[in-house]
């Protein structure tokens, strides 16, 4: 059963559905290929179907009315800063310091206090997963810690 939606939620759902249908339309003329060797139309077509289904799901979502209060502009600014800091630091300082900056800035965006041990565990876990995924498995040219950063800390050239 469709619930009474706010106009903004209905418009948001229709924008998501329209974007999904656009992806389906753009991928329909391209070859899908086979599962062993997918073609250029597979990704836009499959993502378009998924996004369209999610957009339809937004229309049927049951949610109780709640008063969220004013928007969390501090959180929005810090999350945006965290993503920008990661992008700027990953090449200059390495994957581990960039991940640490991302986690710390994201934790500061939360209204609730996060324990330092939890933050440290999150940093270590994301560094391990990031290294195994991006460096070991995908062989992307990320350094865990930049040699320039190490020489800056040790004072050697």
């Amino acid at each position: 059963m469709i619930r009474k939606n706010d106009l903004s939620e209905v418009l948001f759902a229709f924008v998501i559905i329209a974007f999904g249908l656009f992806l389906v339309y753009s991928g329909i003329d391209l070859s899908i290929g086979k599962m062993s060797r997918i073609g250029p139309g597979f990704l836009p077509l499959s993502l378009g179907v998924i996004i369209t289904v999610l957009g339809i799901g937004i229309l049927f979502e049951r949610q109780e009315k709640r008063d969220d209060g004013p928007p969390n502009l501090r959180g929005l600014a810090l999350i945006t800063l965290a993503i920008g800091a990661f992008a700027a630091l990953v090449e200059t300082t390495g994957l581990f310091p960039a991940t640490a900056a991302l986690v710390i800035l994201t934790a500061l965006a939360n209204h609730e206090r996060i324990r330092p041990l939890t933050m440290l565990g999150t940093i270590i876990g994301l560094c391990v997963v990031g290294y195994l995924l991006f460096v070991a498995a995908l062989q992307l040219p990320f350094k865990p810690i930049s040699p320039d950063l190490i020489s800056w800390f040790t004072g050697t050239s």
Side-chain angles (χ1 to χ4, degrees):
M1 181 173 151
I2 297 179
R3 66 180 172 91
K4 288 188 174 186
N5 292 326
D6 293 337
L7 181 61
S8 62
E9 291 179 11
V10 172
L11 291 175
F12 175 72
F14 280 122
V15 167
I16 296 296
I17 292 169
F19 180 69
L21 291 174
F22 171 74
L23 286 176
V24 169
Y25 176 75
S26 66
I28 205 121
D29 290 335
L30 300 172
S31 170
I32 295 174
K34 300 177 184 176
M35 287 304 285
S36 60
R37 185 168 168 87
I38 59 173
F42 180 80
L43 186 65
L45 189 62
S46 59
L47 283 179
V49 168
I50 291 169
I51 290 172
T52 303
V53 169
L54 289 175
I56 292 169
I58 291 172
L59 286 176
F60 291 99
E61 178 184 27
R62 287 196 57 95
Q63 193 173 30
E64 296 178 16
K65 270 291 199 208
R66 58 192 161 137
D67 183 25
D68 290 335
N72 183 3
L73 296 179
R74 176 179 159 237
L76 177 65
L78 283 170
I79 296 291
T80 304
L81 181 65
I83 295 169
F86 180 83
L89 292 174
V90 74
E91 288 186 24
T92 56
T93 63
L95 183 64
F96 295 168
T99 302
L102 176 77
V103 171
I104 291 168
L105 288 171
T106 304
L108 291 174
N110 194 356
H111 285 298
E112 299 172 13
R113 187 167 185 261
I114 296 177
R115 297 183 320 177
L117 191 59
T118 303
M119 196 180 318
L120 182 65
T122 304
I123 290 170
I124 292 171
L126 284 177
C127 285
V128 168
V129 169
Y131 180 81
L132 291 175
L133 178 66
F134 296 118
V135 178
L138 296 175
Q139 297 179 349
L140 294 177
F142 291 140
K143 302 264 189 274
I145 297 177
S146 172
D148 296 335
L149 185 65
I150 294 171
S151 65
W152 183 77
F153 272 117
T154 58
T156 58
S157 296

